[in-house]
Amino acid sequence: MDYTPTQSGFRQQPNMRQRNSSADGLEGSQLFEDTSGAAHGLQTGYSNQQAGPQAAGFTGQSILSDPMSNLAMAYGSSLASQGREMVDKNLDRFIPISKMKYYFAVDTVYVGKKLGLLVFPYMHENWEVRYQQDTPVAPRFDVNAPDLYIPAMGFITYVLVAGLALGTQNRFSPELLGVQASSAFVWLIMEVLAVLLSLYLVTANTDLTTIDLLAFSGYKYVGMIIGVVAGLLFGRPAYYLSLLWCCAAIFVFMIRTLRLKLLSDAAAEGRLVRGTRNQLRMYLTMSIAAAQPIFMYWLTYHLIR
Amino acid sequence: MAFTLYSLIQTAILCINAIAVLHEERFLSKFGFGVEQGVGGFGDDPGVKAQVLSLIRSVRTVMRVPLILVNSASIVLLLLFG
């Protein structure tokens, strides 16, 4: 998972296009469907080959195919690169892809440590995110940095585990997977919007971006998965016990992480600072942390009957 | 519990409509909506109430015209497809 620069993608593209056009001609690259002129050029080239030199025999085929298909391939590859540029430019306006790459720069050691931290945050002492020239260090180098890999994987695993749990109760149908996924997603969006609104109202000057909030809200899926799997394997008491443990762990995790970001420096160190602003921020931190267990229970209780 | 993305869009449209139909004279002035000099204070701590008022005012200013379009579109779609 390293940053592959787009240059290599550009260089790869004409080779792939030539290989594909010689074999099939209709496969697209990763981001967009290939409706460029290469397919039409090849089709006209092939039909010319079939209709024209059938009387002239097969010796004319190689002479006809080369310039025609070369031209078509060159035109098609230039069209493809233009299209790719346009898509990249427009996509970058809506979804900041370069910023997203930071959140997915993880490795196995980080994921393991972070999962351990989500389940057992009581021994960890230093919760500050290390900075490197005004930007946070990539998650690969710092356990405290938020990432989007664990929330994304956790969401998908939650949907699958929910389908599994519903299947063991004979309540499963394939549409239910989509229903579970969309309702969990809607709750996530509403939670992020509520947190954004309350951050705006309290005028907290933080460097928490929307994606950071999305990452923090997505960490609760880990606890939910653990609870549901324990409930499937060992029954309801195990579900309640493991959910309780994970709720407490997420509560402590969120408070310790948000405390450094939301509160002022003095209040974050534990000293009692007077003033309504700090009090409001404290309440906000508490309520964000307390909302996580509520959501964890709300989204999983119907799966364990 | 079965929320879909469509219900999220519905909720958003209804909430923004609700903010847009608040009457200035009869209702909002009681909460200090018409107080102009309070908003201009660039102090360190605007307070929750000033933030709420500025949020309401900005939503009303920005979303008035798009709301007209979105509401007409949803009326037409609901008439056609139920």
Side-chain angles (χ1 to χ4, degrees):
Chain A
M1 284 187 227
D2 44 352
Y3 301 142
T4 51
T6 48
Q7 287 300 319
S8 63
F10 261 72
R11 260 183 264 122
Q12 277 174 14
Q13 184 120 35
N15 292 334
M16 267 190 57
R17 286 220 30 80
Q18 286 176 5
R19 257 190 278 127
N20 276 341
S21 56
S22 61
D24 199 0
L26 284 177
E27 307 197 291
S29 72
Q30 292 158 348
L31 271 182
F32 60 102
E33 304 251 302
D34 184 33
T35 53
S36 60
H40 299 296
L42 278 172
Q43 281 173 9
T44 55
Y46 283 147
S47 61
N48 274 341
Q49 287 176 15
Q50 286 166 11
Q54 259 180 3
F58 290 104
T59 54
Q61 241 182 11
S62 52
I63 304 176
L64 258 184
S65 67
D66 271 346
M68 183 83 180
S69 55
N70 271 339
L71 198 66
M73 278 192 296
Y75 185 56
S77 64
S78 77
L79 264 189
S81 60
Q82 268 181 21
R84 187 193 169 99
E85 267 179 39
M86 206 171 59
V87 165
D88 279 343
K89 205 171 24 152
N90 282 332
L91 197 61
D92 206 28
R93 230 186 284 162
F94 294 119
I95 310 174
I97 289 197
S98 43
K99 273 192 253 168
M100 293 283 235
K101 277 192 184 171
Y102 159 78
Y103 287 98
F104 285 101
V106 295
D107 60 346
T108 7
V109 175
Y110 168 81
V111 171
K113 279 199 216 166
K114 193 81 175 189
L115 286 177
L117 207 63
L118 282 170
V119 174
F120 196 76
Y122 308 107
M123 303 284 286
H124 190 77
E125 277 155 9
N126 185 18
W127 291 84
E128 284 191 9
V129 182
R130 273 182 287 150
Y131 280 85
Q132 184 199 18
Q133 294 161 359
D134 222 17
T135 58
V137 176
R140 195 179 301 167
F141 306 113
D142 184 17
V143 166
N144 296 319
D147 71 314
L148 273 183
Y149 176 78
I150 292 181
M153 292 295 134
F155 182 74
I156 297 175
T157 314
Y158 162 74
V159 173
L160 293 175
V161 167
L164 182 72
L166 287 174
T168 55
Q169 300 160 20
N170 292 326
R171 279 192 292 151
F172 181 76
S173 77
E175 295 95 33
L176 274 183
L177 273 182
V179 165
Q180 287 286 330
S182 60
S183 67
F185 193 60
V186 163
W187 278 117
L188 187 70
I189 291 182
M190 288 212 294
E191 181 186 350
V192 170
L193 284 179
V195 171
L196 275 175
L197 180 72
S198 44
L199 276 178
Y200 170 77
L201 287 181
V202 173
T203 63
N205 299 321
T206 71
D207 51 353
L208 277 179
T209 63
T210 316
I211 308 187
D212 278 341
L213 289 175
L214 194 67
F216 287 136
S217 302
Y219 280 143
K220 62 169 156 327
Y221 288 118
V222 177
M224 292 198 310
I225 293 168
I226 294 178
V228 174
V229 167
L232 281 179
L233 288 177
F234 303 116
R236 292 196 75 170
Y239 164 69
Y240 282 122
L241 273 178
S242 52
L243 199 71
L244 204 65
W245 175 271
C246 294
C247 284
I250 285 276
F251 187 69
V252 170
F253 176 85
M254 290 297 284
I255 286 193
R256 287 203 182 160
T257 312
L258 288 177
R259 189 173 61 162
L260 288 168
K261 301 213 164 206
L262 280 185
L263 302 179
S264 59
D265 286 331
E269 287 175 20
R271 285 178 262 150
L272 275 178
V273 182
R274 298 286 162 166
T276 50
R277 234 169 110 228
N278 281 317
Q279 219 177 18
L280 269 180
R281 290 186 179 186
M282 190 85 66
Y283 284 148
L284 180 67
T285 318
M286 286 284 175
S287 45
I288 293 178
Q292 309 287 321
I294 295 180
F295 275 118
M296 283 170 71
Y297 182 67
W298 180 264
L299 284 173
T300 52
Y301 79 99
H302 62 283
L303 294 175
I304 308 281
R305 286 276 174 87
Chain B
M1 234 289 288
F3 282 129
T4 57
L5 283 176
Y6 176 66
S7 66
L8 189 66
I9 298 177
Q10 271 185 325
T11 314
I13 293 180
L14 284 175
C15 280
I16 300 183
N17 274 327
I19 297 182
V21 296
L22 293 172
H23 197 279
E24 286 164 9
E25 274 181 17
R26 290 181 213 157
F27 179 72
L28 290 176
S29 59
K30 293 185 194 163
F31 288 100
F33 185 78
V35 176
E36 294 294 338
Q37 64 268 21
V39 184
F42 287 109
D44 203 22
D45 186 9
V48 180
K49 183 170 151 184
Q51 287 289 97
V52 171
L53 288 175
S54 68
L55 182 70
I56 291 181
R57 180 176 296 148
S58 48
V59 165
R60 289 161 65 92
T61 325
V62 169
M63 297 300 277
R64 203 153 271 201
V65 172
L67 256 191
I68 297 176
L69 300 171
V70 167
N71 279 334
S72 343
S74 54
I75 287 174
V76 168
L77 283 176
L78 279 176
L79 279 178
L80 286 179
F81 300 117

